[in-house]
Amino acid sequence: EPEVTQTPSHQVTQMGQEVILRCVPISNHLYFYWYRQILGQKVEFLVSFYNNEISEKSEIFDDQFSVERPDGSNFTLKIRSTKLEDSAMYFCASSPDTSQETQYFGPGTRLLVL
Amino acid sequence: SQKIEQNSEALNIQEGKTATLTCNYTNYSPAYLQWYRQDPGRGPVFLLLIRENEKEKRKERLKVTFDTTLKQSLFHITASQPADSATYLCADLGGYQKVTFGTGTKLQVIP
């Protein structure tokens, strides 16, 4: 069964450094998303992306964040200058164009900012 | 803004019993209300979706109900098994596929 993959599984970085989290969505899906989950808290929406554009973003997704689909398979989340409070699990998700109700989540990248 | 509330942080039940989890929303009635399962350190896994105009949806041992008068959805697992132990998330699928999650209910099925 096709699945969303994410790399790396864990990332440790120093405060102020840039990080890029990578995702490979399911191949025929057209809608892509990033979510984050701070330890012990709920899953929070960051951004949705369709047709090479951001469809919607939350108040968390400020100027420090950006997303990109650099080629036909990858979907990336960049954090320009990481802060301690960016430490969280980051989940990528994708959905097909005809069944937008269902999102398929990847296993996540655990980001630790020191 | 919409809030999704799952009032029970944890629920322990005996194997074989029916688990019932509650989800309340505070504002508008979601067009689509979803239920996910999340295991520790893993991403949410979609289980069921119920539309605003549907009263009930079933899938194998799972059942979801939607009561727009009470602003509530109930999620049932019948004949529960220890393998059903996980955190269950209720979510509102909003515009542009933005999903608003509840905090989840951690279910523990005791053998």
Side-chain angles (χ1 to χ4, degrees):
Chain A
E1 188 175 326
E3 55 186 23
V4 176
T5 59
Q6 290 184 243
T7 54
S9 58
H10 293 78
Q11 171 108 35
V12 181
T13 190
Q14 293 289 325
M15 190 169 60
Q17 294 295 304
E18 174 183 287
V19 294
I20 297 176
L21 309 182
R22 300 179 197 281
C23 168
V24 179
I26 294 173
S27 64
N28 62 344
H29 287 188
L30 298 179
Y31 296 83
F32 315 114
Y33 318 85
W34 284 100
Y35 293 83
R36 78 171 186 192
Q37 187 173 31
I38 295 169
L39 189 64
Q41 297 186 25
K42 65 179 180 180
V43 178
E44 299 174 290
F45 170 83
L46 293 178
V47 65
S48 60
F49 190 87
Y50 169 71
N51 201 25
N52 284 320
E53 284 184 346
I54 290 175
S55 305
E56 188 159 348
K57 59 184 181 180
S58 71
E59 55 277 3
I60 302 168
F61 194 88
D62 61 22
D63 292 345
Q64 292 301 309
F65 291 88
S66 63
V67 289
E68 199 177 31
R69 186 143 163 89
D71 53 42
S73 60
N74 289 286
F75 180 51
T76 61
L77 175 70
K78 183 193 291 187
I79 309 175
R80 287 192 184 82
S81 178
T82 49
K83 303 190 272 280
L84 296 177
E85 53 265 37
D86 293 328
S87 295
M89 191 78 147
Y90 287 81
F91 295 109
C92 173
S94 70
S95 64
D97 60 327
T98 56
S99 178
Q100 296 172 14
E101 306 101 23
T102 305
Q103 295 186 15
Y104 297 84
F105 283 75
T109 293
R110 186 173 294 284
L111 176 66
L112 179 60
V113 182
L114 301 175
Chain B
S1 61
Q2 180 77 296
K3 278 190 183 176
I4 302 294
E5 296 171 343
Q6 294 181 256
N7 295 330
S8 296
E9 279 192 25
L11 179 66
N12 294 333
I13 63 162
Q14 210 69 37
E15 183 177 2
K17 300 289 187 189
T18 296
T20 298
L21 285 63
T22 304
C23 172
N24 294 291
Y25 55 92
T26 59
N27 201 351
Y28 53 85
S29 181
Y32 306 97
L33 204 142
Q34 304 174 313
W35 284 89
Y36 289 81
R37 168 183 174 140
Q38 187 176 27
D39 290 286
R42 307 297 300 273
V45 175
F46 172 78
L47 295 174
L48 275 172
L49 175 145
I50 188 163
R51 292 176 176 80
E52 187 181 11
N53 60 354
E54 295 175 321
K55 289 268 192 277
E56 185 179 294
K57 203 76 162 292
R58 289 176 186 261
K59 179 182 173 184
E60 297 170 356
R61 294 185 295 113
L62 308 180
K63 183 176 89 170
V64 173
T65 62
F66 196 173
D67 188 327
T68 54
T69 305
L70 294 178
K71 293 191 174 182
Q72 184 179 85
S73 173
L74 298 179
F75 177 80
H76 307 270
I77 306 175
T78 56
S80 59
Q81 303 164 1
D84 295 326
S85 299
T87 296
Y88 290 86
L89 310 176
C90 173
D92 166 24
L93 178 64
Y96 294 103
Q97 301 84 43
K98 173 185 174 180
V99 180
T100 301
F101 283 94
T103 49
T105 296
K106 187 173 181 180
L107 174 68
Q108 184 77 31
V109 180
I110 302 161

